[in-house]
Amino acid sequence: MATFVLVHGSWAGGWNWARLRPLLTAAGHRVLTPTLSGLGDRGHLAGPDIGLSTHIEDISRLLDWEDLTEVVLVGHSYGGMVVTGVLGRVPERLARVVYLDAFRPEPGQAAFDILPELPGLFGEPPAEHPWGWPPVDLAILGIVEPADRDWMARKCTPMPVLTHREPLPSPQKQADVPITYLRGAAVPFFAETADKAEADGATVTSWPDAAHYLHVHHAARTAELLLGLEEATA
């Protein structure tokens, strides 16, 4: 039995893995889908102090409190910022890190440094919650099916501003953990990130027909890839 910890992206929560999680569980594995502070079912904690360091702490503490080792740590989109930070904190608890069409920052980089077009896309936070951005138009991210749009729109919550402005801290520990990067090439946000990951020695797979939400639109294929990685790691 492997342990998968799935870290969601912007505006989302643990709910965003609803299609992928049961496929991994059915294969006999333990799957944790935490919601980051200030989002989803933890949205009541949102505020100006919630940033990238908060979310790195969220996941690092989860691994510690649950006594998890040999974890396959998966990050989608903004979740890639978080899992990179966790990798620098507790690499001894990880068997592999998987980036699903995600940020993969260097120390000192914020999300806005990697994709400088994002501030214009996000716009200004509204006066009623100046600490957070409302969700962008989901169609930009490849969510075009009405049922998917309704599901996402009902559950997405504002994204704390500090998450994308706070830079990745320097790693506390040296890490020698295998890296896999899965790119959804139909939405070209992370082409350069995937290329750099490959140059750094990561195993990179690109799905030309897949948009940004791989685990939503291609849950079975994503599960197959993750289960194959688990077998290779074992």
Side-chain angles (χ1 to χ4, degrees):
M1 182 182 73
T3 298
F4 292 92
V5 175
L6 312 181
V7 181
H8 62 82
S10 297
W11 307 292
W15 59 267
N16 200 225
W17 303 100
R19 297 180 184 177
L20 176 63
R21 180 176 53 215
L23 301 178
L24 301 176
T25 302
H29 303 293
R30 184 180 183 187
V31 184
L32 287 78
T33 57
T35 294
L36 299 171
S37 293
L39 292 156
D41 55 284
R42 304 183 72 197
H44 59 293
L45 302 175
D49 296 330
I50 299 290
L52 175 60
S53 59
T54 312
H55 293 160
I56 294 170
E57 187 75 10
D58 283 342
I59 303 304
S60 298
R61 289 171 69 89
L62 173 72
L63 301 184
D64 186 16
W65 257 251
E66 292 287 340
D67 295 319
L68 301 180
T69 58
E70 295 297 308
V71 169
V72 179
L73 183 63
V74 181
H76 171 247
S77 195
Y78 163 76
M81 298 290 298
V82 180
V83 302
T84 304
V86 174
L87 177 62
R89 285 271 298 269
V90 288
E92 68 277 5
R93 293 189 176 275
L94 307 179
R96 183 179 294 271
V97 176
V98 182
Y99 294 83
L100 296 185
D101 212 47
F103 290 96
R104 184 174 170 267
E106 298 290 337
Q109 280 188 316
F112 281 167
D113 297 325
I114 298 172
L115 294 181
E117 67 272 25
L118 285 185
L121 182 66
F122 282 24
E124 290 297 322
E128 59 267 29
H129 47 76
W131 48 262
W133 293 287
V136 298
D137 181 357
L138 294 172
I140 297 172
L141 304 176
I143 303 290
V144 295
E145 293 294 329
D148 292 340
R149 288 171 67 89
D150 290 346
W151 175 57
M152 296 278 285
R154 280 189 295 107
K155 291 185 175 289
C156 282
T157 48
M159 189 68 186
V161 167
L162 193 57
T163 59
H164 284 58
R165 292 179 176 165
E166 184 178 359
L168 180 76
S170 296
Q172 297 176 1
K173 300 178 182 179
Q174 294 298 313
D176 185 18
V177 176
I179 302 295
T180 295
Y181 196 102
L182 175 58
R183 178 189 168 214
V187 174
F189 289 125
F190 292 108
E192 291 185 10
T193 301
D195 289 343
K196 187 176 186 307
E198 188 168 33
D200 290 343
T203 301
V204 176
T205 299
S206 184
W207 290 348
D209 62 330
H212 185 53
Y213 281 85
L214 304 157
H215 55 292
V216 172
H217 294 130
H218 304 279
R221 200 184 345 169
T222 303
E224 183 179 5
L225 180 137
L226 293 175
L227 293 171
L229 293 175
E230 187 279 324
E231 292 172 2
T233 300

